[in-house]
Amino acid sequence: MKQKVSLMLLILLSIPSITHAYSDYIIASGENIGITVKTNGVLVVGTYTVGNELIIADSGLHIGDLITKVENQKISTSDELLKKINSDECNNLNITYTRNNKEYNTKLRLKKENNICKTGLYVKDSITGIGTLTFIDPNTKIYGALGHEVIESQTGKIVESNDGTIFESTVTNIEKSRNGEPGEKNAIYDQNKIYGSIKENTIKGIFGNYTKEFDKNKLYKVAKPDEIYLGKAVIKTVIKDNIIKEYSINIQKVDNNDITKNLIFEITDESLINETGGIVQGMSGSPIIQDDKIIGAVTHVFVNNPKKGYGIFITNMLEEAEN
Protein backbone atom coordinates (compact mmCIF):
# COMPACT_ATOMS: atom_id res chain seq x y z
CA MET A 1 0.00 0.00 0.00
CA LYS A 2 2.82 2.39 0.85
CA GLN A 3 4.52 1.63 -2.47
CA LYS A 4 1.34 2.51 -4.43
CA VAL A 5 0.95 5.82 -2.57
CA SER A 6 4.60 6.71 -3.20
CA LEU A 7 4.26 5.90 -6.90
CA MET A 8 1.14 8.08 -7.26
CA LEU A 9 2.87 10.96 -5.51
CA LEU A 10 5.85 10.68 -7.87
CA ILE A 11 3.55 10.82 -10.93
CA LEU A 12 1.72 13.88 -9.62
CA LEU A 13 4.94 15.71 -8.86
CA SER A 14 6.31 15.01 -12.34
CA ILE A 15 3.47 16.83 -14.16
CA PRO A 16 4.97 20.08 -15.51
CA SER A 17 3.38 23.37 -14.51
CA ILE A 18 2.29 25.80 -17.22
CA THR A 19 4.45 28.92 -17.29
CA HIS A 20 4.56 31.92 -19.57
CA ALA A 21 7.71 33.33 -21.09
CA TYR A 22 6.48 36.93 -21.20
CA SER A 23 7.47 39.40 -18.48
CA ASP A 24 5.20 40.47 -15.64
CA TYR A 25 6.07 44.11 -16.37
CA ILE A 26 6.13 45.51 -19.92
CA ILE A 27 6.26 48.80 -21.78
CA ALA A 28 2.83 50.16 -22.74
CA SER A 29 3.61 52.16 -25.87
CA GLY A 30 0.79 53.96 -27.69
CA GLU A 31 3.20 55.07 -30.41
CA ASN A 32 1.91 55.52 -33.96
CA ILE A 33 3.71 53.20 -36.40
CA GLY A 34 3.85 52.48 -40.09
CA ILE A 35 3.33 48.84 -41.06
CA THR A 36 4.32 46.85 -44.14
CA VAL A 37 3.25 43.21 -44.25
CA LYS A 38 4.71 41.10 -47.05
CA THR A 39 2.57 38.31 -48.46
CA ASN A 40 3.88 34.74 -48.60
CA GLY A 41 3.63 34.81 -52.38
CA VAL A 42 1.84 37.05 -54.90
CA LEU A 43 -1.75 37.86 -53.96
CA VAL A 44 -4.49 38.08 -56.61
CA VAL A 45 -6.54 41.19 -55.80
CA GLY A 46 -8.46 41.77 -59.03
CA THR A 47 -9.00 40.85 -62.70
CA TYR A 48 -9.35 42.70 -66.01
CA THR A 49 -10.22 41.87 -69.61
CA VAL A 50 -7.63 41.60 -72.35
CA GLY A 51 -9.03 42.29 -75.81
CA ASN A 52 -12.57 42.13 -74.39
CA GLU A 53 -11.81 38.64 -73.07
CA LEU A 54 -11.55 37.57 -69.42
CA ILE A 55 -8.60 35.27 -70.05
CA ILE A 56 -8.15 34.51 -66.36
CA ALA A 57 -11.36 32.43 -66.45
CA ASP A 58 -9.39 29.60 -68.09
CA SER A 59 -7.04 29.26 -65.11
CA GLY A 60 -9.66 28.95 -62.38
CA LEU A 61 -7.85 31.57 -60.28
CA HIS A 62 -9.97 33.66 -57.88
CA ILE A 63 -9.44 36.93 -56.08
CA GLY A 64 -7.66 36.10 -52.82
CA ASP A 65 -5.57 33.25 -54.24
CA LEU A 66 -1.85 33.32 -53.47
CA ILE A 67 0.53 32.45 -56.32
CA THR A 68 3.60 30.76 -54.84
CA LYS A 69 5.40 29.11 -57.79
CA VAL A 70 5.84 29.69 -61.52
CA GLU A 71 7.19 26.78 -63.60
CA ASN A 72 7.93 25.06 -60.28
CA GLN A 73 10.14 27.93 -59.09
CA LYS A 74 9.18 29.75 -55.90
CA ILE A 75 8.23 33.43 -56.20
CA SER A 76 7.46 35.96 -53.50
CA THR A 77 7.20 39.33 -55.28
CA SER A 78 5.24 40.90 -58.13
CA ASP A 79 8.53 41.69 -59.90
CA GLU A 80 9.49 38.01 -59.88
CA LEU A 81 6.14 37.12 -61.44
CA LEU A 82 6.58 39.84 -64.07
CA LYS A 83 10.02 38.51 -65.03
CA LYS A 84 8.55 35.04 -65.55
CA ILE A 85 5.76 36.48 -67.70
CA ASN A 86 8.17 38.41 -69.91
CA SER A 87 10.83 35.73 -70.19
CA ASP A 88 9.13 33.28 -72.52
CA GLU A 89 7.53 35.06 -75.48
CA CYS A 90 4.14 35.23 -73.82
CA ASN A 91 3.75 31.47 -73.58
CA ASN A 92 1.31 30.10 -71.01
CA LEU A 93 2.81 29.42 -67.57
CA ASN A 94 2.39 26.57 -65.12
CA ILE A 95 1.70 28.03 -61.71
CA THR A 96 1.12 26.81 -58.17
CA TYR A 97 -1.23 28.70 -55.86
CA THR A 98 -2.89 28.29 -52.48
CA ARG A 99 -6.50 28.83 -51.49
CA ASN A 100 -7.81 28.20 -47.96
CA ASN A 101 -4.46 26.60 -47.06
CA LYS A 102 -4.73 24.05 -49.89
CA GLU A 103 -2.29 23.93 -52.80
CA TYR A 104 -3.37 23.75 -56.44
CA ASN A 105 -1.72 23.74 -59.87
CA THR A 106 -3.05 25.36 -63.02
CA LYS A 107 -1.98 26.96 -66.29
CA LEU A 108 -1.91 30.75 -66.47
CA ARG A 109 -2.98 31.85 -69.93
CA LEU A 110 -1.17 34.89 -71.33
CA LYS A 111 -2.15 37.18 -74.20
CA LYS A 112 -0.43 40.02 -76.01
CA GLU A 113 -2.11 43.41 -76.27
CA ASN A 114 -0.30 46.43 -77.73
CA ASN A 115 2.83 44.26 -77.82
CA ILE A 116 2.65 43.75 -74.04
CA CYS A 117 2.18 40.32 -72.50
CA LYS A 118 -0.80 40.40 -70.12
CA THR A 119 -2.29 38.05 -67.54
CA GLY A 120 -5.68 39.61 -66.77
CA LEU A 121 -4.62 39.75 -63.11
CA TYR A 122 -4.08 42.55 -60.62
CA VAL A 123 -1.64 41.40 -57.96
CA LYS A 124 0.29 42.72 -54.96
CA ASP A 125 3.01 41.40 -52.68
CA SER A 126 2.68 43.66 -49.63
CA ILE A 127 0.19 45.72 -47.61
CA THR A 128 1.16 49.08 -46.08
CA GLY A 129 -0.75 51.09 -43.48
CA ILE A 130 -0.58 52.57 -40.01
CA GLY A 131 -1.55 51.44 -36.53
CA THR A 132 -0.53 51.68 -32.89
CA LEU A 133 2.23 49.87 -31.05
CA THR A 134 0.73 48.18 -27.98
CA PHE A 135 3.63 46.78 -25.97
CA ILE A 136 7.30 45.92 -25.88
CA ASP A 137 8.58 43.18 -23.58
CA PRO A 138 11.81 44.71 -22.21
CA ASN A 139 13.39 41.29 -21.58
CA THR A 140 12.66 39.48 -24.85
CA LYS A 141 12.31 42.63 -27.06
CA ILE A 142 9.16 41.09 -28.55
CA TYR A 143 6.48 43.63 -29.44
CA GLY A 144 2.77 43.46 -30.23
CA ALA A 145 0.61 45.90 -32.17
CA LEU A 146 -2.92 46.40 -33.61
CA GLY A 147 -4.71 43.75 -31.52
CA HIS A 148 -6.21 42.34 -34.72
CA GLU A 149 -5.05 40.99 -38.06
CA VAL A 150 -3.94 42.92 -41.14
CA ILE A 151 -6.56 42.37 -43.85
CA GLU A 152 -6.21 43.05 -47.57
CA SER A 153 -8.99 45.53 -48.32
CA GLN A 154 -9.99 44.27 -51.78
CA THR A 155 -10.21 40.59 -50.82
CA GLY A 156 -11.33 41.08 -47.21
CA LYS A 157 -9.00 38.26 -46.17
CA ILE A 158 -6.20 38.05 -43.63
CA VAL A 159 -2.76 38.46 -45.21
CA GLU A 160 -0.77 35.25 -44.83
CA SER A 161 2.61 36.55 -43.74
CA ASN A 162 5.62 35.96 -41.55
CA ASP A 163 7.63 38.87 -42.92
CA GLY A 164 7.47 42.65 -42.83
CA THR A 165 8.55 45.74 -40.90
CA ILE A 166 7.25 48.45 -38.60
CA PHE A 167 8.70 51.93 -38.97
CA GLU A 168 8.43 55.62 -38.09
CA SER A 169 5.07 57.30 -38.70
CA THR A 170 3.84 60.80 -37.90
CA VAL A 171 0.15 61.74 -37.64
CA THR A 172 -0.65 64.74 -39.85
CA ASN A 173 -4.41 65.10 -39.27
CA ILE A 174 -7.57 63.29 -38.21
CA GLU A 175 -10.71 62.58 -40.22
CA LYS A 176 -13.34 62.51 -37.48
CA SER A 177 -15.65 59.56 -36.87
CA ARG A 178 -19.40 59.97 -37.22
CA ASN A 179 -22.25 57.55 -36.68
CA GLY A 180 -21.99 55.04 -39.50
CA GLU A 181 -18.68 56.47 -40.75
CA PRO A 182 -15.50 55.54 -38.87
CA GLY A 183 -12.82 58.18 -39.25
CA GLU A 184 -9.10 57.65 -39.56
CA LYS A 185 -5.65 58.95 -38.78
CA ASN A 186 -3.74 60.34 -41.72
CA ALA A 187 0.01 60.05 -41.46
CA ILE A 188 3.31 60.30 -43.25
CA TYR A 189 5.95 57.64 -42.72
CA ASP A 190 9.58 56.87 -43.33
CA GLN A 191 10.15 53.20 -44.22
CA ASN A 192 13.91 53.66 -43.82
CA LYS A 193 13.54 54.33 -40.08
CA ILE A 194 12.74 50.77 -39.08
CA TYR A 195 11.53 49.96 -35.55
CA GLY A 196 11.28 46.20 -35.90
CA SER A 197 10.44 43.13 -37.95
CA ILE A 198 7.09 41.39 -38.35
CA LYS A 199 7.08 37.64 -37.68
CA GLU A 200 3.33 36.98 -37.31
CA ASN A 201 0.07 38.41 -38.60
CA THR A 202 -2.73 36.89 -36.50
CA ILE A 203 -6.27 37.64 -35.36
CA LYS A 204 -4.73 38.91 -32.10
CA GLY A 205 -2.34 41.35 -33.74
CA ILE A 206 1.02 41.58 -35.43
CA PHE A 207 4.12 40.48 -33.54
CA GLY A 208 7.86 40.50 -34.02
CA ASN A 209 11.21 41.71 -32.73
CA TYR A 210 11.64 45.35 -31.70
CA THR A 211 15.03 46.71 -32.80
CA LYS A 212 14.86 50.41 -31.91
CA GLU A 213 16.14 51.63 -28.55
CA PHE A 214 13.43 52.06 -25.90
CA ASP A 215 13.04 53.56 -22.44
CA LYS A 216 12.67 51.01 -19.62
CA ASN A 217 12.01 53.61 -16.92
CA LYS A 218 8.21 53.26 -17.02
CA LEU A 219 6.89 49.70 -16.95
CA TYR A 220 3.30 48.55 -16.42
CA LYS A 221 2.27 45.40 -14.60
CA VAL A 222 0.45 42.89 -16.81
CA ALA A 223 -3.11 42.52 -15.50
CA LYS A 224 -4.79 39.13 -15.52
CA PRO A 225 -8.38 39.09 -16.81
CA ASP A 226 -9.80 38.57 -13.30
CA GLU A 227 -8.09 41.79 -12.13
CA ILE A 228 -10.01 43.93 -14.62
CA TYR A 229 -13.16 45.64 -13.37
CA LEU A 230 -15.90 47.86 -14.78
CA GLY A 231 -15.21 51.55 -14.52
CA LYS A 232 -12.50 54.08 -15.22
CA ALA A 233 -9.43 53.42 -17.36
CA VAL A 234 -7.34 55.25 -19.98
CA ILE A 235 -5.98 54.58 -23.46
CA LYS A 236 -2.60 55.76 -24.72
CA THR A 237 -2.55 56.94 -28.32
CA VAL A 238 -1.34 59.60 -30.76
CA ILE A 239 -3.65 62.04 -32.54
CA LYS A 240 -1.05 64.66 -33.51
CA ASP A 241 2.56 64.36 -34.67
CA ASN A 242 4.28 61.76 -32.45
CA ILE A 243 2.85 62.93 -29.12
CA ILE A 244 1.49 60.08 -26.98
CA LYS A 245 -1.29 61.15 -24.58
CA GLU A 246 -3.65 59.41 -22.19
CA TYR A 247 -7.42 59.72 -22.63
CA SER A 248 -10.11 58.62 -20.20
CA ILE A 249 -12.51 55.76 -21.00
CA ASN A 250 -15.05 53.69 -19.10
CA ILE A 251 -14.92 49.87 -19.18
CA GLN A 252 -18.51 48.63 -19.62
CA LYS A 253 -18.10 44.88 -20.10
CA VAL A 254 -15.48 42.20 -19.53
CA ASP A 255 -15.86 38.96 -21.55
CA ASN A 256 -13.59 36.04 -20.69
CA ASN A 257 -15.15 33.75 -23.30
CA ASP A 258 -14.40 35.61 -26.53
CA ILE A 259 -11.06 35.19 -28.29
CA THR A 260 -10.48 38.85 -29.17
CA LYS A 261 -13.48 40.98 -28.16
CA ASN A 262 -12.82 40.79 -24.43
CA LEU A 263 -13.64 44.37 -23.45
CA ILE A 264 -16.32 46.87 -24.35
CA PHE A 265 -15.52 50.46 -23.44
CA GLU A 266 -16.73 54.00 -24.06
CA ILE A 267 -14.57 57.07 -24.52
CA THR A 268 -15.40 59.68 -21.89
CA ASP A 269 -12.59 62.14 -22.59
CA GLU A 270 -14.18 65.26 -24.09
CA SER A 271 -10.91 66.49 -25.64
CA LEU A 272 -10.51 63.23 -27.58
CA ILE A 273 -14.16 63.26 -28.67
CA ASN A 274 -13.79 66.86 -29.89
CA GLU A 275 -10.64 66.01 -31.87
CA THR A 276 -11.62 62.63 -33.33
CA GLY A 277 -15.34 62.06 -32.76
CA GLY A 278 -14.38 58.89 -30.87
CA ILE A 279 -12.35 55.91 -32.05
CA VAL A 280 -10.79 56.21 -35.51
CA GLN A 281 -8.91 53.81 -37.76
CA GLY A 282 -5.26 53.82 -36.77
CA MET A 283 -6.03 53.66 -33.04
CA SER A 284 -6.04 49.86 -33.17
CA GLY A 285 -3.44 48.64 -30.72
CA SER A 286 -3.67 51.61 -28.36
CA PRO A 287 -2.88 50.16 -24.90
CA ILE A 288 -5.60 50.27 -22.24
CA ILE A 289 -4.41 51.09 -18.70
CA GLN A 290 -6.28 50.62 -15.42
CA ASP A 291 -4.76 51.28 -11.99
CA ASP A 292 -1.29 51.52 -13.53
CA LYS A 293 -1.67 48.06 -15.06
CA ILE A 294 -1.88 47.29 -18.76
CA ILE A 295 -5.11 45.37 -19.29
CA GLY A 296 -5.58 45.28 -23.07
CA ALA A 297 -5.59 47.10 -26.39
CA VAL A 298 -8.15 48.87 -28.57
CA THR A 299 -9.21 46.72 -31.54
CA HIS A 300 -12.48 47.84 -33.18
CA VAL A 301 -14.96 50.69 -33.18
CA PHE A 302 -18.75 50.43 -32.97
CA VAL A 303 -19.57 51.84 -36.42
CA ASN A 304 -22.94 53.23 -35.32
CA ASN A 305 -21.47 54.70 -32.12
CA PRO A 306 -17.80 55.64 -32.56
CA LYS A 307 -17.46 56.60 -28.89
CA LYS A 308 -17.65 52.88 -28.09
CA GLY A 309 -15.21 50.15 -28.99
CA TYR A 310 -13.85 46.68 -28.34
CA GLY A 311 -10.59 45.69 -26.71
CA ILE A 312 -8.55 42.51 -26.42
CA PHE A 313 -6.95 41.27 -23.17
CA ILE A 314 -3.24 42.04 -23.03
CA THR A 315 -2.64 38.46 -21.85
CA ASN A 316 -4.20 37.16 -25.08
CA MET A 317 -1.76 39.25 -27.10
CA LEU A 318 1.23 38.23 -24.98
CA GLU A 319 0.37 34.54 -25.22
CA GLU A 320 0.07 34.83 -29.01
CA ALA A 321 3.44 36.64 -29.13
CA GLU A 322 5.05 33.60 -27.48
CA ASN A 323 4.08 31.28 -30.38
Side-chain angles (χ1 to χ4, degrees):
M1 183 67 178
K2 288 182 180 179
Q3 288 181 339
K4 289 183 178 179
V5 171
S6 297
L7 181 60
M8 183 175 290
L9 181 61
L10 178 62
I11 292 170
L12 289 173
L13 290 175
S14 68
I15 296 173
S17 59
I18 298 172
T19 58
H20 296 295
Y22 61 76
S23 304
D24 291 331
Y25 287 83
I26 61 176
I27 295 164
S29 176
E31 185 173 15
N32 198 76
I33 54 171
I35 299 163
T36 290
V37 176
K38 297 179 182 179
T39 59
N40 293 332
V42 178
L43 184 66
V44 178
V45 296
T47 63
Y48 62 91
T49 58
V50 182
N52 296 320
E53 185 182 7
L54 190 64
I55 61 172
I56 192 59
D58 296 340
S59 71
L61 282 170
H62 295 169
I63 292 172
D65 290 345
L66 197 66
I67 300 172
T68 57
K69 294 179 184 178
V70 178
E71 298 298 338
N72 212 33
Q73 293 184 353
K74 186 176 179 180
I75 64 165
S76 56
T77 69
S78 301
D79 284 343
E80 289 173 343
L81 176 60
L82 186 61
K83 285 179 182 178
K84 295 289 186 183
I85 292 167
N86 293 328
S87 65
D88 204 13
E89 292 299 319
C90 219
N91 291 328
N92 297 344
L93 296 172
N94 295 307
I95 65 167
T96 302
Y97 66 96
T98 61
R99 180 189 299 162
N100 299 325
N101 297 317
K102 292 184 179 180
E103 190 173 81
Y104 302 91
N105 294 295
T106 190
K107 192 172 288 290
L108 182 62
R109 182 181 166 202
L110 307 179
K111 186 175 181 179
K112 274 195 176 180
E113 185 178 67
N114 299 324
N115 210 34
I116 298 172
C117 191
K118 296 188 176 182
T119 63
L121 291 175
Y122 292 116
V123 298
K124 63 172 62 173
D125 54 31
S126 65
I127 312 295
T128 298
I130 64 168
T132 302
L133 182 65
T134 307
F135 72 84
I136 307 166
D137 188 320
N139 295 326
T140 63
K141 295 185 179 179
I142 291 173
Y143 77 85
L146 293 186
H148 61 70
E149 69 272 45
V150 174
I151 291 176
E152 201 287 314
S153 59
Q154 289 164 288
T155 65
K157 294 183 178 181
I158 185 171
V159 179
E160 296 178 25
S161 176
N162 54 9
D163 189 17
T165 54
I166 59 172
F167 41 86
E168 181 182 279
S169 177
T170 301
V171 178
T172 55
N173 67 291
I174 301 287
E175 294 180 25
K176 294 177 71 171
S177 285
R178 296 174 177 81
N179 289 351
E181 295 181 22
E184 63 179 326
K185 294 182 183 183
N186 292 318
I188 56 174
Y189 44 79
D190 187 342
Q191 290 182 278
N192 294 315
K193 294 182 179 178
I194 294 173
Y195 290 177
S197 59
I198 295 173
K199 300 299 182 184
E200 285 188 287
N201 176 34
T202 79
I203 61 170
K204 297 179 183 179
I206 59 170
F207 304 94
N209 298 317
Y210 197 81
T211 55
K212 183 189 171 189
E213 289 187 7
F214 51 82
D215 186 1
K216 294 183 181 180
N217 289 328
K218 177 60 177 176
L219 300 178
Y220 290 83
K221 189 177 189 303
V222 174
K224 297 176 182 177
D226 61 9
E227 296 179 281
I228 304 168
Y229 58 88
L230 304 185
K232 293 181 180 178
V234 297
I235 62 170
K236 295 179 67 177
T237 199
V238 174
I239 61 171
K240 184 179 180 182
D241 299 328
N242 299 106
I243 304 166
I244 303 170
K245 289 187 177 182
E246 292 187 353
Y247 300 95
S248 59
I249 65 170
N250 188 58
I251 305 293
Q252 297 182 325
K253 184 178 179 181
V254 179
D255 187 348
N256 290 283
N257 298 316
D258 202 279
I259 298 173
T260 58
K261 293 180 178 179
N262 306 122
L263 304 168
I264 293 178
F265 66 91
E266 183 173 23
I267 293 175
T268 55
D269 195 298
E270 289 299 327
S271 65
L272 184 60
I273 293 170
N274 290 336
E275 290 286 343
T276 67
I279 302 163
V280 296
Q281 296 175 80
M283 280 186 186
S284 295
S286 300
I288 304 173
I289 311 297
Q290 189 176 62
D291 291 345
D292 223 28
K293 297 177 183 178
I294 179 168
I295 66 172
V298 176
T299 59
H300 297 87
V301 61
F302 281 42
V303 176
N304 292 323
N305 183 1
K307 295 177 186 177
K308 295 183 69 171
Y310 287 106
I312 183 174
F313 288 149
I314 192 62
T315 49
N316 281 352
M317 291 186 70
L318 286 163
E319 287 164 10
E320 185 70 29
E322 288 183 345
N323 296 336

